[in-house]
Amino acid sequence: MKISVVGTGYVGLVTGACFAETGLTVTCVDTNSDKIEKLKSGIIPIYEPGLDVLVAKNCEMGRLFFTTSLVESLKNAEALFIAVGTPPGEDGSADLKYVLDVAAEIGKNMQGYLVVINKSTVPIGTAQKVREVIISEQRKRGVNIPFDVASNPEFLKEGAAIEDFLKPERIVIGTDSEEAEKLMRKLYKPFLLNGHPIIFMDIPSAELTKYAANAMLATRISFMNEMANLCEIVGADVNMVRKGIGSDSRIGNKFIYPGVGYGGSCFPKDVKALIKSASEKGYSLKVIEAVEKVNDAQKELMFKKISEYFKGHLNGKKFAIWGLSFKPNTDDMREAPSIVIINKLLAAGAMVKAYDPAAMDETKKVLGSRVEYAADPYSAVDDCDALVLVTEWREFRVLNFNELNKRMKAKVIFDGRNIYEPEEMKEEGFSYVSIGRKSIGLK
Ligand code: NAD
């Protein structure tokens, strides 16, 4: 069977490689010719653990192809996945331009029955819009070729995308066509041998499921951040509270870690888009609106803590930043809290030397030469007034205090992810400020 995947980013490339892994012939399409050239010559344009091996293997087996031509990918394809970006528009709603561009291309070029599957995160009603654009383009050609549109939201996590795709906890499909349902069952059967469900539903429910999932996860994070802030006021320790509630099986221990606010390519834009699509229908999502507000404030919290510690005197101070990507195991810098913290430090006249295991190139695109880049974590702390841990990559977990003592100008650590222990910091003679826990050595 032959399929086409349009949009070769974090979702499209993983989708294409994983379907190829099951034996399908997959053509990945992208309008970004630079990306396609890189992929053709074996270079993976994003950082995603395991993806290089999977792509190389399936290219070598002659099952995975890359092209800038959607027309070429349509030849004999039975299904086409749309996996292009849906960035926030100016008013917060999802910008459907890229999705509808793909729909137009399909309508202009399709030759036989095709199932068009929307994998991009899109608001309710998008499948219908895609259908209308395809029909309209077919009419211009004077043809009436049958097709179906299905919704298949993606739940993979960057950093664990391959594992999530190959062993999904569930597959959600919105469809109103038996033929499309049959094809989707066939496509996903190899991934569901572990017994996890494929859930069929109507298209609007599938479209909303993705937003509801992300909004729920974002809610847990903002909830915990509020608890952390309250802990600081009342003298409680949020780590204890987290363990206390997380052991309740109704709550569970995932997504209840306080920190510097959520970022990334999904939560911020999906929360915004959900609020917007509800308000367009005259409904205000009060909980979700609060989730966003809390997160915006949380992204500024670490800077406030730093400024408070230095009593507002940040001009000329030097800060080492560990971790730049919005979360570990990805190079994705979209909406990363590190950008907010660094921009605020720079605006206050401070200097920043940053290190990230994977996201340095992406950071350079965002912050350019306003920041100094370190080759390794410990050269970032040379002569700094404080170390700020923003993203909890595994390699930061155990501190080399000898190196820190030798290199740092002042022994001060701000921990945006609560990965260090206040007691240890005290023993080592460090001032230590974290989230929702007692600070050590605060002047
Ligand atoms: P991305 O920005 O990494 O990739 C999108 C790709 O689409 C880009 O390479 C772009 O060049 C390409 N593109 C744009 N218009 C095109 C066109 N007309 N034809 C061909 N290619 C085109 O985006 P992503 O992170 O992979 O996200 C894609 C969608 O999946 C979004 O809707 C996102 O919300 C959703 N999603 C993302 C994740 C994630 O973790 N990144 C998880 C689940 C769902």
Side-chain angles (χ1 to χ4, degrees):
M1 190 200 260
K2 197 171 164 259
I3 66 165
S4 161
V5 179
V6 185
T8 312
Y10 288 88
V11 169
L13 186 54
V14 170
T15 301
C18 290
F19 274 122
E21 181 70 6
T22 68
L24 299 186
T25 303
V26 182
T27 310
C28 288
V29 186
D30 206 290
T31 42
N32 182 334
S33 51
D34 186 43
K35 209 174 237 189
I36 293 298
E37 280 317 308
K38 277 190 178 143
L39 285 162
K40 277 183 172 170
S41 52
I43 301 164
I44 306 294
I46 52 169
Y47 175 82
E48 182 59 47
L51 190 55
D52 48 354
V53 177
L54 200 67
V55 168
K57 177 182 157 195
N58 284 285
C59 286
E60 216 173 279
M61 299 299 288
R63 295 191 293 247
L64 183 59
F65 300 91
F66 299 102
T67 178
T68 52
S69 162
L70 188 138
V71 183
E72 190 185 312
S73 83
L74 275 175
K75 267 179 220 148
N76 305 320
E78 290 178 49
L80 180 148
F81 284 86
I82 302 178
V84 296
T86 46
E90 271 183 15
D91 61 356
S93 61
D95 185 350
L96 295 179
K97 179 186 180 305
Y98 305 103
V99 171
L100 299 181
D101 280 353
V102 177
E105 279 290 291
I106 296 168
K108 280 179 196 159
N109 296 293
M110 64 189 293
Q111 299 296 332
Y113 175 76
L114 186 71
V115 180
V116 177
I117 305 134
N118 204 352
K119 202 169 239 326
S120 299
T121 303
V122 290
I124 296 172
T126 304
Q128 184 53 28
K129 285 186 183 157
V130 166
R131 209 188 301 260
E132 284 163 11
V133 170
I134 296 175
I135 290 172
S136 144
E137 290 299 334
Q138 284 202 19
R139 276 206 191 112
K140 288 183 200 160
R141 289 166 61 196
V143 296
N144 184 8
I145 304 165
F147 68 95
D148 282 304
V149 179
S151 163
N152 170 214
E154 181 51 55
F155 299 100
L156 64 75
K157 302 181 288 296
E158 284 175 23
I162 310 271
E163 180 78 3
D164 286 347
F165 201 98
L166 293 176
K167 295 176 190 161
E169 287 185 338
R170 82 309 204 177
I171 297 293
V172 169
I173 312 278
T175 176
D176 50 13
S177 139
E178 268 179 37
E179 206 164 346
E181 178 173 335
K182 219 166 99 190
L183 184 121
M184 295 308 282
R185 278 193 196 282
K186 200 163 138 191
L187 281 176
Y188 276 108
K189 193 167 173 241
F191 304 110
L192 296 167
L193 301 174
N194 55 8
H196 287 155
I198 181 163
I199 307 166
F200 284 94
M201 56 182 77
D202 59 280
I203 294 173
S205 302
E207 289 174 333
L208 182 55
T209 296
K210 174 66 191 176
Y211 283 106
N214 276 356
M216 168 66 94
L217 295 172
T219 302
R220 286 169 71 94
I221 294 172
S222 278
F223 174 86
M224 256 349 252
N225 282 334
E226 285 227 286
M227 287 303 120
N229 297 340
L230 180 61
C231 280
E232 287 183 18
I233 295 165
V234 300
D237 179 333
V238 74
N239 263 9
M240 293 299 120
V241 176
R242 176 177 59 73
K243 285 179 191 164
I245 64 170
S247 50
D248 183 330
S249 62
R250 293 169 303 176
I251 296 172
N253 52 25
K254 291 192 177 146
F255 280 83
I256 55 168
Y257 286 77
V260 288
Y262 60 74
S265 63
C266 292
F267 288 7
K269 83 169 171 63
D270 293 349
V271 162
K272 257 192 186 44
L274 184 59
I275 292 169
K276 181 71 185 161
S277 47
S279 82
E280 277 169 3
K281 300 281 175 202
Y283 189 74
S284 137
L285 288 168
K286 295 168 214 62
V287 171
I288 311 302
E289 283 167 10
V291 165
E292 191 182 36
K293 261 196 205 123
V294 168
N295 194 59
D296 289 344
Q298 198 72 14
K299 277 182 156 181
E300 309 219 333
L301 183 74
M302 190 43 93
F303 172 76
K304 277 194 188 142
K305 284 173 181 268
I306 296 169
S307 184
E308 255 169 50
Y309 181 90
F310 288 100
K311 306 210 170 3
H313 302 306
L314 295 174
N315 197 19
K317 293 257 171 354
K318 198 169 161 193
F319 291 89
I321 306 283
W322 279 6
L324 299 162
S325 52
F326 84 92
K327 67 173 183 179
N329 298 322
T330 180
D331 61 349
D332 201 335
M333 285 297 293
R334 288 177 279 189
E335 306 271 346
S338 65
I339 300 173
V340 176
I341 296 168
I342 291 173
N343 275 332
K344 285 192 156 284
L345 285 171
L346 294 175
M351 290 173 281
V352 168
K353 193 163 180 183
Y355 172 77
D356 187 282
M360 302 283 264
D361 288 344
E362 287 303 307
T363 309
K364 284 175 192 163
K365 290 182 198 162
V366 183
L367 295 169
S369 57
R370 293 190 295 139
V371 166
E372 207 183 325
Y373 299 93
D376 63 85
Y378 288 93
S379 60
V381 305
D382 276 338
D383 206 28
C384 71
D385 292 279
L387 162 62
V388 188
L389 181 288
V390 181
T391 310
E392 70 280 27
W393 285 85
R394 203 172 283 143
E395 68 180 72
F396 303 143
R397 296 210 174 207
V398 180
L399 289 171
N400 182 337
F401 284 103
N402 282 342
E403 284 297 312
L404 292 181
N405 283 327
K406 251 196 302 191
R407 292 168 177 258
M408 291 175 76
K409 186 152 81 187
K411 293 168 71 165
V412 186
I413 295 182
F414 295 91
D415 177 357
R417 304 287 180 172
N418 289 356
I419 65 170
Y420 305 124
E421 290 310 317
E423 279 312 306
E424 190 182 15
M425 291 297 165
K426 200 172 174 181
E427 279 165 26
E428 296 288 342
F430 273 75
S431 294
Y432 178 67
V433 178
S434 56
I435 310 280
R437 301 188 298 174
K438 217 173 95 206
S439 295
I440 305 293
L442 205 59
K443 291 172 244 169

